[in-house]
Amino acid sequence: MRVQSIILGLAALASGHTIFQKVSVNGVDQGQLKGVRAPDSDYPIQNVNDAAFACNKDLKHTDSTVISVPAGAKVGAWWGHVIGGAQTANDPDHPIAKSHKGPIIVYLAKVDNAATAQSTGLKWFKVAEDGLSNGQWGVDKMIANNGWHYFNMPTCLAPGDYLMRVELIALHGAQVNGQAQFYMECSQVRITGSGTNSGSNFVSFPGAYKASDPGILVNIYDNSGNPYMGGKEYKVPGPPVLTC
């Protein structure tokens, strides 16, 4: 059964991809591709040292929108199989193939102007992560929410412009080195409020991850082929989440 599950997961590689392409703030949808830098391609990056690992490559959809986000707000990141959402009517792989289990992680990087900032050379810090808890992956919850992944922006964040990097790691083939799939895009946000924390435990992209990290090179299947770690703990890669 475990081998069969792995084969089925690998068979989904060609059709089960996804793109982060929309933001909501306290339940208000900010609009398709508004303030989000996205490619047309829904293919992942699999090399953690790829030069475009911060915000993805071949970006075709960009604009000057900077989304206002109060510190402490409930923020949503919406994922779709292709730009616009479903690829076909009743698309079984929208927002992503159900086989693509894994975490969803959110990073910020402080910038002078989010609309124009380049994504290279920035100091990133983690503000949210949803790995495996109570028998559900972060991806499972996103699928159940029709593509929306929600998190709370830290209340203590200092106001100003940031790039917000939202990342999904698909682990269905991650028992083989180099086969974890990384999906990421960046959005342009302006944090408001009276916080004073501009981040900690900074990392660089590329550079934050190694291909051998336990949350990247990992067999998520148990002996029956169930993709929920067989009762073992899953360690989300990267630094700890910012605490206020």
Side-chain angles (χ1 to χ4, degrees):
M1 280 293 292
R2 186 175 70 83
V3 173
Q4 182 183 24
S5 295
I6 293 171
I7 290 171
L8 288 173
L10 292 173
L13 293 182
S15 61
H17 303 155
T18 194
I19 305 170
F20 159 48
Q21 52 194 283
K22 193 159 57 168
V23 174
S24 70
V25 180
N26 287 329
V28 180
D29 188 329
Q30 301 298 300
Q32 175 70 6
L33 296 168
K34 292 297 183 182
V36 179
R37 306 175 180 188
D40 280 329
S41 172
D42 61 358
Y43 275 70
I45 291 175
Q46 291 181 251
N47 177 4
V48 296
N49 295 312
D50 193 296
F53 204 73
C55 293
N56 215 330
K57 62 184 70 178
D58 300 326
L59 302 177
K60 305 296 185 185
H61 304 277
T62 60
D63 70 7
S64 60
T65 301
V66 178
I67 299 168
S68 181
V69 180
K74 179 182 178 180
V75 179
W78 187 78
W79 298 82
H81 184 182
V82 296
I83 291 294
Q87 189 168 36
T88 60
N90 303 313
D91 182 355
D93 294 328
H94 172 64
I96 193 172
K98 292 179 174 64
S99 63
H100 286 36
K101 309 297 187 186
I104 300 177
I105 310 168
V106 184
Y107 292 88
L108 293 181
K110 188 77 172 63
V111 295
D112 291 332
N113 184 331
T116 59
Q118 299 298 306
S119 61
T120 55
L122 298 179
K123 298 192 303 180
W124 299 90
F125 61 99
K126 187 187 288 183
V127 295
E129 64 181 26
D130 192 359
L132 176 62
S133 60
N134 300 316
Q136 277 193 312
W137 289 101
V139 168
D140 293 328
K141 298 173 192 175
M142 181 268 281
I143 292 172
N145 286 328
N146 298 311
W148 285 103
H149 169 73
Y150 295 106
F151 69 96
N152 291 319
M153 192 65 75
T155 57
C156 58
L157 274 178
D161 281 18
Y162 296 79
L163 294 186
M164 182 174 80
R165 178 184 186 270
V166 187
E167 174 184 55
L168 183 158
I169 309 177
L171 300 171
H172 52 292
Q175 67 281 352
V176 178
N177 193 299
Q179 291 303 306
Q181 297 183 348
F182 300 87
Y183 300 87
M184 79 292 286
E185 277 78 35
C186 291
S187 62
Q188 301 157 183
V189 301
R190 180 166 294 137
I191 302 297
T192 62
S194 57
T196 58
N197 196 323
S198 295
S200 60
N201 297 301
F202 296 103
V203 295
S204 300
F205 289 114
Y209 301 160
K210 298 191 298 292
S212 59
D213 285 345
I216 293 173
L217 179 60
V218 58
N219 183 358
I220 65 173
Y221 302 97
D222 65 18
N223 290 332
S224 298
N226 297 309
Y228 292 96
M229 297 292 294
K232 296 176 291 184
E233 181 182 3
Y234 172 75
K235 179 175 174 53
V236 179
V241 174
L242 180 74
T243 56
C244 290

